[in-house]
Amino acid sequence: MSDQRVLTVDNVTGHYGDSHILHGVSMHVNEGEVVTIIGRNGAGKTTLLRAIMGILTKRGGSIVVRGQETIALPPERIARLGIGYVPEERGIYATLDVTENLMLPPRVAAGGMSLDDIYKLFPNLYERRRSPGTRLSGGEQQMLAIARVLRTGAKFLLLDEPTEGLAPVIVQQIGATIELMKRQGMTLILVEQNFRFASRLADRHYVMEHGQIVDVIDRAQVQARMDSIKSYLGI
Amino acid sequence: MSMQALFGQLLVGLINGSFYAMLSLGLAIIFGLLGIVNIAQGAFYMLGGFVTWMLLNYAGIGYFWSLLLVPIIVGLIGAAIEKTLLKKIYNLDHMYGLLLTFGIMMFIQGMFVHFFATAGRPYTVPSALTGGYNLGFMFLPKYRGWVVLASLVLCLVTWYAIEKTSIGRTLRAATENPTLTRAFGVNVPALMTIGFGIGVALAGAAGVLAAPIYPVSPLMGAELIITVFAVVVVGGMGSIMGAIVTSLMLGLLEGLTKVVYPQGSNMVIFVIMLIVLLVRPAGLFGRER
Ligand SMILES: Nc1ncnc2c1ncn2[C@@H]1O[C@H](COP(=O)(O)OP(=O)(O)O)[C@@H](O)[C@H]1O
Ligand SMILES: [Mg+2]
């Protein structure tokens, strides 16, 4: 069970217009794993997630999700393979209130949380349920972006810098939520700058530089390889 | 000036406003979802009127069936045009959408001028809606009251569907952020086809309602659409309710001007448009970008 493939990315290239961003990325994620993609700003982490979702339109190579080749599929078909996307910019709809934001994504698999369950897990969102999505604080918006994909039943989530710019207490809350997802057997790709945060959750780290994966570090090697990790991240 | 004349003109204004509302509502939906300013909206209105006339004269299908069938027919024609033509230009500048829909308008209009010439064709008011009520201060022809009522109901149902239902929620999301909405598994390209179909179906419905009032002619839409665009500029493209309210207000204002200063009645909406453009370029209900 544990080495069942959820995602195989093979030699993936990606462009924005004429600029070549991804130069042959290969990686994989197995069922129930939490995998991070780390690397400096501008390395191409967000672009890789956008390529996986199919919203980066100029992409090549092979991306297989649960046995299905997706490189030629439109984003709506890829999402329906059971992927939940939490984008870096959070993507909260201003013209929808909090409840509408939660209800928007269609269910893509059985077993998603109900609205009631979500509001129990995130009581502060319940308090703001009639507010337009963009009136929320940064932390609340991030909670909403995560809660939104929990309703869809997706068991494979892509989270792009969920802790970026948030206060420590909120980072802790998000960490607890991710741990909960992991315990429920979800499969996660986590893009993070905050390595201390990422290392507590992840089974494996992919290091990205200039649009390529330059290193893979297993959980067990993290302590031994701390120096090279620090130099990869420039900290 | 008599009360009769005043209320008579206000009624005419309200009716014109109802037509502005149905056409500008469709324009707002289409612009929001597709980013296209649909110049051809008036041609779809004309198509609605003409198909109504043709159904009666060629197939013996009467007014009330037309009220149901014509918007569907016009909507399907619109959907086919979206799927074959419009979808090819979404990645290009807004100007191309303007040009393409302008071409579509000229084509539809030209076809009808070619086959039917420009003379107006009468369409009899259905017998259930003939006659009228004496309200004391004015005489209200039943059909005119019906047009105002029917268009108000249509506009409010459309508004409700967009603001309060799950389909409307998806439509609003796709309007605001189509890429992300696709990444959640919503088939936004299909939604755009449907949105364009619904937008022009509203114009088609307006054409059915218009058939017994205005003569059905290939140019009936060309005259109306210019005023409708002025209404849209005043209201701003941003809001559905804004489009409805602005349309009715400007229709009434036009009627009022006919009473107090008849020479200005054709101009008043354009004067308001100029003032709004100077003071609030995004329109009364539009959002500044
Ligand atoms: N929309 C875009 N158009 C053109 N270039 C972009 C766009 N988004 C990102 N880039 C470029 O792509 C590179 C990778 O960006 P990104 O994937 O966002 O990096 P990361 O998420 O690792 O910080 C950067 O050089 C960035 O400037
Ligand atoms: Mg990024």
Side-chain angles (χ1 to χ4, degrees), chain B residues 96-120:
Chain B
Y96 289 88
L98 214 68
L99 287 171
L100 180 55
T101 56
F102 184 73
I104 292 169
M105 174 186 83
M106 295 308 275
F107 176 77
I108 297 177
Q109 221 166 266
M111 290 278 284
F112 276 85
V113 171
H114 180 75
F115 287 110
F116 295 93
T118 53

Side-chain angles (χ1 to χ4, degrees), chain B residues 152-202:
Chain B
L152 269 184
V153 167
L154 195 61
C155 288
L156 289 180
V157 165
T158 308
W159 171 83
Y160 183 87
I162 291 174
E163 295 298 327
K164 306 288 174 195
T165 68
S166 65
I167 298 170
R169 178 175 69 213
T170 309
L171 202 86
R172 276 179 288 142
T175 297
E176 186 181 331
N177 191 341
T179 306
L180 180 65
T181 308
R182 291 183 80 176
F184 285 138
V186 175
N187 191 341
V188 174
L191 205 60
M192 289 164 82
T193 308
I194 295 167
F196 190 76
I198 290 174
V200 301
L202 282 165

Side-chain angles (χ1 to χ4, degrees), chain B residues 20-279:
Chain B
Y20 303 158
M22 285 182 282
L23 266 71
S24 61
L25 184 58
L27 281 177
I29 294 171
I30 292 168
F31 180 76
L33 205 54
L34 281 66
I36 281 183
V37 177
N38 181 29
I39 300 272
Q41 192 76 344
F44 288 104
Y45 161 79
M46 180 272 286
L47 205 56
F50 241 102
V51 174
T52 306
W53 182 89
M54 286 155 84
L55 283 179
L56 182 66
N57 287 282
Y58 300 157
I61 294 173
Y63 177 85
F64 288 102
W65 274 110
S66 284
L67 210 49
L68 179 72
L69 292 176
V70 170
I72 295 174
I73 294 170
V74 173
L76 288 176
I77 293 172
I81 289 176
E82 194 279 340
K83 262 194 115 54
T84 51
L85 295 174
L86 295 184
K87 73 163 201 184
K88 302 212 188 301
I89 58 159
Y90 291 144
N91 296 328
L92 305 177
D93 189 85
H94 278 350
M95 192 52 85
Y96 289 88
L98 214 68
L99 287 171
L100 180 55
T101 56
F102 184 73
I104 292 169
M105 174 186 83
M106 295 308 275
F107 176 77
I108 297 177
Q109 221 166 266
M111 290 278 284
F112 276 85
V113 171
H114 180 75
F115 287 110
F116 295 93
T118 53
R121 285 147 201 271
Y123 189 97
T124 322
V125 173
S127 56
L129 295 171
T130 50
Y133 308 100
N134 193 343
L135 301 179
F137 58 90
M138 68 176 292
F139 179 78
L140 174 66
K142 244 193 210 175
Y143 189 78
R144 310 232 152 189
W146 159 252
V147 168
V148 173
L149 188 74
S151 89
L152 269 184
V153 167
L154 195 61
C155 288
L156 289 180
V157 165
T158 308
W159 171 83
Y160 183 87
I162 291 174
E163 295 298 327
K164 306 288 174 195
T165 68
S166 65
I167 298 170
R169 178 175 69 213
T170 309
L171 202 86
R172 276 179 288 142
T175 297
E176 186 181 331
N177 191 341
T179 306
L180 180 65
T181 308
R182 291 183 80 176
F184 285 138
V186 175
N187 191 341
V188 174
L191 205 60
M192 289 164 82
T193 308
I194 295 167
F196 190 76
I198 290 174
V200 301
L202 282 165
V208 186
L209 290 174
I213 306 187
Y214 307 119
V216 174
S217 110
L219 300 179
M220 66 194 272
E223 294 154 20
L224 185 60
I225 195 66
I226 299 181
T227 316
V228 168
F229 270 105
V231 170
V232 165
V233 171
V234 172
M237 279 291 201
S239 134
I240 299 291
M241 196 44 114
I244 301 173
V245 171
T246 310
S247 297
L248 294 175
M249 278 187 348
L250 289 180
L252 282 172
L253 186 69
E254 209 178 18
L256 198 64
T257 315
K258 259 187 204 134
V259 179
V260 297
Y261 185 60
Q263 303 89 319
S265 67
N266 289 329
M267 260 174 12
V268 61
I269 289 182
F270 297 94
V271 173
I272 303 271
M273 178 184 87
L274 286 178
I275 297 172
V276 168
L277 275 178
L278 290 173
V279 180

Side-chain angles (χ1 to χ4, degrees), chain A residues 15-17 19-22 37-50 56 88 160-161 191 193 208 211:
Chain A
H15 294 77
Y16 287 113
S19 31
H20 194 169
I21 308 292
L22 300 178
I37 301 166
I38 57 176
R40 298 185 197 205
N41 261 332
K45 307 180 293 295
T46 297
T47 307
L48 177 59
L49 295 194
R50 292 170 58 90
L56 181 78
E88 186 171 20
D160 198 345
E161 305 214 23
V191 168
Q193 298 272 6
M208 194 160 200

